[in-house]
Amino acid sequence: MQMKMGESLLFTALTFGVSVGFVPYEDMLAFNAPASDQGKVYQNEAFRNVTVEKTAFGHYVISGEARVFEATVNYVVTSGQSHVTSGYTTASKGGPDWGTFQIELDTTMLTAYSQPLAITLFEASAEDGRPLHELTIPLF
C-alpha cells in the first residue's frame, strides 16, 4: 500500500508486538494540539505551582515547587488502577524550604494502556516510606 502525500506512518507499541497504521498529517497535528488542562496549576501542602506542558506527542514536562523531605520528589504514572512506571527527581532545596523541580516524561511506549495516564507526585514518609501529600495530575 502506498502512502498519499500528507500522510505519515504511525507505530504504536503494543504489549505483544507492533501495530502499524496510516494517519493523515492533519490528524497527527491534532495529537500535539494544546489540551484544555494545559496551563492549569496544581498544588497541595507539599507541592505548589505545578504545571504540565505537553512538548510533543507523548512527551511531557512536569515542573513546579516542592517542600519535601531531603528534596526527593517521587512519582508514579498510572493508567486506571494499573501501575505503569515510577521514579523520582531531586528538588533544588529540601523541606522546610520550597525547592524547584522538573520531570521530563516520555510516554510514547505506553500506548498499550486503554485508560488515560495520570502522574501522582508524592513525598515518601521518612518514618516508613509510605506516600504522603499525593498530588494526582492527568496527562492529556
Side-chain angles (χ1 to χ4, degrees), residues 75-89:
Y75 67 88
V76 61
V77 176
T78 56
S79 174
Q81 298 298 316
S82 300
H83 174 102
V84 176
T85 189
S86 60
Y88 69 92
T89 191

Side-chain angles (χ1 to χ4, degrees), residues 35-104:
S36 60
D37 280 352
Q38 191 155 326
K40 187 173 177 180
V41 178
Y42 301 87
Q43 56 192 21
N44 65 14
E45 60 274 15
F47 301 97
R48 69 181 184 190
N49 301 321
V50 179
T51 60
V52 177
E53 179 185 359
K54 186 174 186 178
T55 58
F57 175 68
H59 294 267
Y60 301 90
V61 176
I62 298 94
S63 58
E65 297 174 89
R67 182 170 53 192
V68 292
F69 179 68
E70 293 185 347
T72 304
V73 176
N74 296 280
Y75 67 88
V76 61
V77 176
T78 56
S79 174
Q81 298 298 316
S82 300
H83 174 102
V84 176
T85 189
S86 60
Y88 69 92
T89 191
T90 304
S92 62
K93 296 179 182 178
D97 294 327
W98 288 97
T100 59
F101 72 92
Q102 181 171 304
I103 299 167
E104 294 185 23

